[in-house]
Amino acid sequence: LAFNMEALLDNESRATTIEHLHFWLNSKRLHADGASVILVGTRLDKCASKDDQDTVHQILKKEVHVLKGSRLMSNHKQFYKQGEKYVYFPVDNKNMNGISALREVITNAVENAEYTKEEIPTSWLCCLDYFIKKKKDFLYTTKVCDYIRSKCGLDIDNFHKML
């Protein structure tokens, strides 16, 4: 979840920035509860001092209450505040500062996630092909269910598991 560090440090725009973070973290909790979160602070080029970084860390810890209970990926590679891991990754999009540490954490998180080790039946690909070929905004469950039973060899239990 990306946020503008410059806006978070600015007294006039801080409340709006925090409100946006709350919205997206609550949305994540609603739609993907249990999924890991990586907070990415942009505009490192404008907020490069250690004091700015520490202030962003403290604001996030204090103001973004939704972080409690989230599987937050902490930044342990480059950034610390008195031995405490930052709760975000500061990055500079212009000269790529902080990007490699962020990329490494994302790669490790995906490689170590349980869902990436789960076996998926190849018959599900038949269903995916069907969905793609239809080129529609939605499909009726009954029609999809009939198709996958007859063409993909899936029973109703596997159909619901796939969805």
Side-chain angles (χ1 to χ4, degrees):
L1 174 58
F3 66 94
N4 180 334
M5 291 190 296
E6 194 174 20
L8 188 65
L9 290 171
D10 180 56
N11 289 330
E12 290 181 24
S13 57
R14 180 176 299 155
T16 302
T17 303
I18 291 169
E19 186 178 312
H20 288 145
L21 285 167
H22 276 251
F23 172 82
W24 287 111
L25 288 166
N26 280 324
S27 181
K28 190 264 341 156
R29 181 173 280 161
L30 175 66
H31 298 288
D33 197 24
S36 298
V37 176
I38 299 175
L39 294 177
V40 179
T42 61
R43 312 256 174 118
L44 179 58
D45 56 318
K46 305 273 171 105
C47 312
S49 76
K50 180 79 169 125
D51 285 343
D52 283 347
Q53 299 304 302
D54 289 349
T55 301
V56 168
H57 173 73
Q58 289 306 319
I59 291 169
L60 290 171
K61 282 188 66 177
K62 180 181 176 195
E63 300 292 339
V64 185
H65 309 291
V66 190
L67 294 177
K68 293 177 182 141
S70 291
R71 292 181 58 203
L72 192 65
M73 305 296 289
S74 59
N75 188 349
H76 61 280
K77 285 288 180 194
Q78 294 178 309
F79 302 96
Y80 289 89
K81 178 181 176 20
Q82 299 168 349
E84 179 182 14
K85 297 175 187 176
Y86 276 6
V87 296
Y88 73 103
F89 289 78
V91 298
D92 179 352
N93 300 17
K94 290 181 181 177
N95 63 25
M96 306 299 279
N97 280 345
I99 300 293
S100 60
L102 176 60
R103 184 178 295 130
E104 184 178 333
V105 168
I106 292 170
T107 300
N108 288 336
V110 170
E111 286 174 353
N112 295 319
E114 286 301 314
Y115 64 84
T116 61
K117 294 164 183 62
E118 204 175 302
E119 291 184 357
I120 306 292
T122 53
S123 56
W124 289 9
L125 296 175
C126 172
C127 301
L128 179 61
D129 289 341
Y130 172 74
F131 298 151
I132 292 169
K133 285 177 188 170
K134 286 297 182 182
K135 295 182 182 179
K136 293 188 176 187
D137 292 335
F138 68 92
L139 300 168
Y140 290 102
T141 307
T142 53
K143 292 198 184 248
V144 172
C145 193
D146 289 344
Y147 178 84
I148 66 156
R149 272 193 246 166
S150 64
K151 303 288 185 189
C152 301
L154 285 177
D155 59 27
I156 192 72
D157 290 335
N158 280 318
F159 169 67
H160 289 292
K161 199 186 273 186
M162 178 190 69
L163 291 180

